[in-house]
């Protein structure tokens, strides 16, 4: 039976983008790609201290776009978003932040109890949540992708058809197209040896026929090495926070071809907080300390809210285009 691959329609305001895929892709996939060239993928907004990423990733093809400018934001030296009263400790960089007590690395990616959902057994649910956990670890924590920019481990977890569609977007210069799904450290920036701090949760629901959707909602905090000595400086000048709300979809059953069975990426949204705008426009993570000046924005939210995975996503960002 030929696979029918359904995309979740979402209006987009700007002209499209182009990406080439293998001739081995099915006619359904090529049709979706041609349609996607006429649409822009949701907007990613960036603010000097608050970077908003409002990207949508369709079930078969990731959608994202360049930053949209936000008027009225003066360029200024970054104010400290979270005040530190103790000397910054290179060995314990998160101590003066809301992430201090979070789990380290993969230990923070928890999965719900394996229970039957719809027509899917508890075993299938456990498989789906396990794959989603592995995908988050490979895309946000594993040094192979985070610092070396090698997507092989992450792509290897996806269904063959999903992998063929996503792989071209990892070509040099296309990094903004995948930043809703992965975290990559900017060239020239260096993480401290401390593991990223992670907090959040995942839930499971049925999707279209023969689809099990795992919604993941996690916040990742990364500690970067300072370029110079830090005494009584705010830790947030070298810590970057990424909120990622991503759906992963497990497809199984005769409705799908063999190469379409497995893990797919779905809708994605999120934001970056306390981050260098220039790097983020290019699809990378860098601390605010890496840039001499960024767009400052007087926000209406407490800084701690950006560490809360249950908090509503910000409505706008402030990096100038």
């Amino acid at each position: 039976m030929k696979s029918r691959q359904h995309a979740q329609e979402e209006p987009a305001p700007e002209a499209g983008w182009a990406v080439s895929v293998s001739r081995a892709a099915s006619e359904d996939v090529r049709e979706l790609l041609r349609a996607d060239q006429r649409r822009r993928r949701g907007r990613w907004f960036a603010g000097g201290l608050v970077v908003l990423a409002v990207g949508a990733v369709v079930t078969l093809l990731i959608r994202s776009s360049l930053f949209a400018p936000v008027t009225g934001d003066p360029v200024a030296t970054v104010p400290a978003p979270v005040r530190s009263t103790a000397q910054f400790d290179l060995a314990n960089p998160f101590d003066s932040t809301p992430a201090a007590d979070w789990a380290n690395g993969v230990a923070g990616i928890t999965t719900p109890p394996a229970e039957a959902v719809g027509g899917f057994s508890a075993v299938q649910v456990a498989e789906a949540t396990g794959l989603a956990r592995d995908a988050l670890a490979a895309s946000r924590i594993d040094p192979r992708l985070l610092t070396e920019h090698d997507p092989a481990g992450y792509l290897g977890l996806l269904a063959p058809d999903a992998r063929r569609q996503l792989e071209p977007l990892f070509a040099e210069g296309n990094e903004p197209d995948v930043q809703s799904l992965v975290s990559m450290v900017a060239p020239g920036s260096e993480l401290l040896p401390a593991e990223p701090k992670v907090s959040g949760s995942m839930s499971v629901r049925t999707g279209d026929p023969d689809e099990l959707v795992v919604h993941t909602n996690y916040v990742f905090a990364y500690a970067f090495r300072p370029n110079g000595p830090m005494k009584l400086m705010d830790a947030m000048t070298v810590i970057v926070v990424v909120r990622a709300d991503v759906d992963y979809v497990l497809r199984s059953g005769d409705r799908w071809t063999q190469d379409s069975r497995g893990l797919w990426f779905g809708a994605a949204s999120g934001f970056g907080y306390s981050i260098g705008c220039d790097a983020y426009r290019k699809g990378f993570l860098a601390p605010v300390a890496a840039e001499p000046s960024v767009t400052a924005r007087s926000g209406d939210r407490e800084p701690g809210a950006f560490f809360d995975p249950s908090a509503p996503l910000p409505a706008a960002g402030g990096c100038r285009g």
Side-chain angles (χ1 to χ4, degrees):
M1 177 181 294
K2 185 178 180 180
S3 166
R4 300 296 301 179
Q5 297 155 331
H6 302 281
Q8 298 174 356
E9 293 297 332
E10 182 169 330
E14 299 178 0
W17 57 283
V19 61
S20 41
V21 293
S22 168
R23 292 181 178 274
S26 69
E27 181 58 31
D28 288 331
V29 170
R30 290 196 293 270
E31 180 181 348
L32 283 169
L33 292 174
R34 288 193 294 268
D36 202 74
Q37 289 173 339
R38 297 188 294 271
R39 297 193 296 265
R40 195 69 159 178
R41 286 164 275 181
R43 293 179 182 266
W44 284 71
F45 297 94
L49 298 181
V50 181
V51 180
L52 174 67
V54 187
V57 183
V58 297
T59 302
L60 299 180
L61 186 62
I62 179 173
R63 301 179 171 202
S64 63
S65 71
L66 298 178
F67 296 94
V70 177
T71 59
D73 293 325
V75 175
T77 302
V78 180
V82 179
R83 296 293 176 186
S84 171
T85 56
Q87 183 169 339
F88 180 76
D89 184 357
L90 288 173
N92 300 286
F94 300 102
D95 276 1
S96 59
T97 75
D101 296 327
W102 291 3
N104 294 324
V106 179
I109 307 176
T110 56
T111 59
E115 299 176 350
V117 175
F120 292 87
S121 68
V123 172
Q124 289 173 305
V125 169
E127 177 189 6
T129 56
L131 283 171
R133 177 197 60 219
D134 293 346
L136 288 177
S139 61
R140 305 286 181 181
I141 298 173
D142 192 332
R144 286 181 295 175
L145 184 51
L146 184 61
T147 59
E148 299 170 21
H149 304 168
D150 178 2
Y154 174 58
L155 293 173
L157 296 168
L158 303 178
D161 282 343
R163 183 165 60 249
R164 280 193 289 268
Q165 290 179 28
L166 195 59
E167 189 169 19
L169 298 183
F170 282 96
E172 185 175 355
N174 291 341
E175 290 86 1
D177 293 332
V178 290
Q179 63 182 345
S180 60
L181 289 178
V182 305
S183 294
M184 293 186 286
V185 171
S189 294
E190 181 186 357
L191 290 173
L192 288 169
E195 281 193 277
K197 290 286 189 175
V198 184
S199 179
S201 62
M202 67 174 67
S203 59
V204 183
R205 61 177 174 81
T206 56
D208 290 338
D210 294 332
E211 289 186 349
L212 187 63
V213 180
V214 181
H215 177 68
T216 68
N217 173 20
Y218 288 87
V219 178
F220 301 84
Y222 303 93
F224 285 77
R225 184 176 298 280
N227 292 330
M230 293 186 68
K231 295 181 180 179
L232 296 179
M233 294 182 65
D234 196 307
M236 293 306 297
T237 60
V238 291
I239 288 177
V240 169
V241 178
V242 173
R243 161 85 172 268
D245 288 21
V246 181
D247 286 347
Y248 281 99
V249 182
L250 182 65
R251 292 177 170 172
S252 61
D254 293 338
R255 183 169 182 259
W256 307 105
T257 63
Q258 186 63 40
D259 282 354
S260 285
R261 295 172 191 165
L263 192 68
W264 286 76
F265 44 90
S269 59
F271 62 80
Y273 172 64
S274 189
I275 196 167
C277 291
D278 288 346
Y280 208 61
R281 286 191 187 95
K282 298 173 184 177
F284 297 107
L285 305 182
V288 293
E291 300 180 9
S293 63
V294 298
T295 301
R297 183 177 180 85
S298 57
D300 57 358
R301 306 178 69 187
E302 290 296 323
F306 296 103
F307 287 81
D308 183 0
S310 65
L313 290 172
C319 269
R320 299 174 69 88

